[in-house]
């Protein structure tokens, strides 16, 4: 039986006097890859930041594995794997120091073995002892993803995490996430512009426009669109955005 790992309940958020999110609700279950779609400036990153605790909602609640991000943030964040933006990485630490620091913050005695294995698959191990400020965008993205996977998180949240990754590395990360989902270890929320990821990997998806969810696609609907081909996803997205 599937468990709801991420439960977003009527979340509102604003910056200053400007409303960014206007009552967003989503539920993501164990083993699900959920894609959050939408053009720039509609609130995708704000919602992701609400999940991470970086932005406090003005109304509503978000629960990670039944722990409220608003009322019980420490327990909620222990179950969250959040990939920060590359520009938020600490420039004066090495990749290894970043991993060790994040692992310590999650109460781990050491870096997860499977995260180190993924680092090798991504050929990131050669950069472990180099400082972050020497990294390319793609190398920073690899580190952000690795940090998000520490501590066996129940909910993995990625915001355009494949930007800057070379195709081989992107495929490695996608396959790794699929293995986690198949084993029932977590769920994934990916904020993205990429219909390719929806076509090939998503179980469910939603379209965010002007701070509101205007359309959700179930696993059955995604499977049907997948059978119809790539143009079907484009047509469905265009129709929902009208």
């Amino acid at each position: 039986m599937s468990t709801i790992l991420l439960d977003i309940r009527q979340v509102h958020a604003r910056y200053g006097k400007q409303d960014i999110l206007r009552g967003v609700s989503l539920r993501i279950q164990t083993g699900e890859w959920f894609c959050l779609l939408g053009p720039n400036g509609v609130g995708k990153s704000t919602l992701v930041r609400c999940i991470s605790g970086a932005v406090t909602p003005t109304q509503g609640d978000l629960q990670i594995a039944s722990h409220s991000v608003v009322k019980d943030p420490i327990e909620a964040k222990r179950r969250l794997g959040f990939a920060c933006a590359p520009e938020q990485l600490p420039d004066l630490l090495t990749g290894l120091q970043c991993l060790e620091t994040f692992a310590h913050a999650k109460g781990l005695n050491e870096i997860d073995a499977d995260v180190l294995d993924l680092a090798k698959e991504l050929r990131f191990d050669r950069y472990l002892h180099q400082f972050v400020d020497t990294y390319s965008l793609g190398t920073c993205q690899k580190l952000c993803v690795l940090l998000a996977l520490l501590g066996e998180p129940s909910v993995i949240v990625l915001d355009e995490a494949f930007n800057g990754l070379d195709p081989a590395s992107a495929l490695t990360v996608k396959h790794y996430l699929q293995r986690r989902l198949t084993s029932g270890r977590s769920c994934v929320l990916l904020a993205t512009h990429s219909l390719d990821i929806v076509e090939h990997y998503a179980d469910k998806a939603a379209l965010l426009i002007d701070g509101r969810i205007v359309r959700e696609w179930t696993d059955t609907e995604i499977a049907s669109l997948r059978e119809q081909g790539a143009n079907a996803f484009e047509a469905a997205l265009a129709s929902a955005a009208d």
Side-chain angles (χ1 to χ4, degrees):
M1 183 176 179
S2 295
T3 300
I4 296 172
L5 291 180
L6 180 60
D7 192 356
I8 301 171
R9 304 175 178 179
Q10 286 295 312
V11 167
H12 294 249
R14 62 174 52 180
Y15 293 129
K17 295 182 178 180
Q18 183 179 6
D19 291 325
I20 305 298
L21 300 177
R22 301 174 173 88
V24 174
S25 294
L26 291 172
R27 285 184 168 184
I28 307 177
Q29 298 181 334
T30 306
E32 288 183 342
W33 185 320
F34 195 106
C35 283
L36 181 65
L37 302 167
N40 292 332
V42 298
K44 298 193 305 298
S45 292
T46 299
L47 180 59
V48 166
R49 286 169 61 80
C50 285
I51 297 169
S52 74
V55 172
T56 302
T58 54
Q59 296 180 47
D61 194 18
L62 310 95
Q63 294 198 353
I64 298 172
S66 299
H67 294 274
S68 169
V69 175
V70 177
K71 299 176 183 177
D72 192 10
I74 294 177
E75 289 302 319
K77 289 177 183 179
R78 283 178 178 166
R79 292 158 176 82
L80 173 66
F82 174 66
C84 67
E87 61 269 19
Q88 295 175 327
L89 291 170
D91 287 345
L92 299 181
L93 294 183
T94 66
L96 181 61
Q97 288 170 335
C98 287
L99 288 165
E100 290 173 339
T101 300
F102 273 61
H104 179 73
K106 283 204 164 186
L108 306 176
N109 294 322
E110 58 186 9
I111 301 166
D112 306 61
D114 67 334
V115 173
L116 290 175
D117 288 342
L118 178 60
K120 291 179 182 178
E121 285 188 69
L122 292 171
R123 297 185 178 181
F124 181 81
D125 49 334
R126 68 185 70 180
Y127 300 103
L128 282 172
H129 299 287
Q130 294 184 23
F131 291 101
V132 169
D133 66 356
T134 67
Y135 287 0
S136 67
L137 172 60
T139 305
C140 285
Q141 287 284 31
K142 292 177 184 179
L143 178 56
C144 290
V145 170
L146 293 169
L147 293 172
L149 298 173
L150 289 169
E152 288 289 325
S154 299
V155 177
I156 300 168
V157 177
L158 310 170
D159 189 0
E160 295 291 356
F162 296 100
N163 284 356
L165 289 184
D166 62 90
S169 295
L171 190 62
T172 295
V173 172
K174 291 169 187 174
H175 287 173
Y176 177 89
L177 293 173
Q178 280 187 315
R179 291 196 297 272
R180 278 212 176 196
L181 296 175
T182 301
S183 66
R185 295 158 67 186
S186 56
C187 69
V188 171
L189 173 64
L190 172 67
T192 183
H193 294 106
S194 175
L195 281 181
D196 176 71
I197 295 176
V198 182
E199 291 169 23
H200 293 96
Y201 297 96
D203 297 296
K204 295 180 180 178
L207 176 62
L208 186 68
I209 298 288
D210 294 333
R212 299 180 188 276
I213 299 294
V214 299
R215 179 73 160 89
E216 285 191 59
W217 289 271
T218 66
D219 52 353
T220 302
E221 290 171 323
I222 291 286
S224 177
L225 289 170
R226 194 167 283 141
E227 289 178 359
Q228 296 172 48
N231 291 338
F233 284 91
E234 293 178 7
L237 190 64
S239 175
D242 287 341

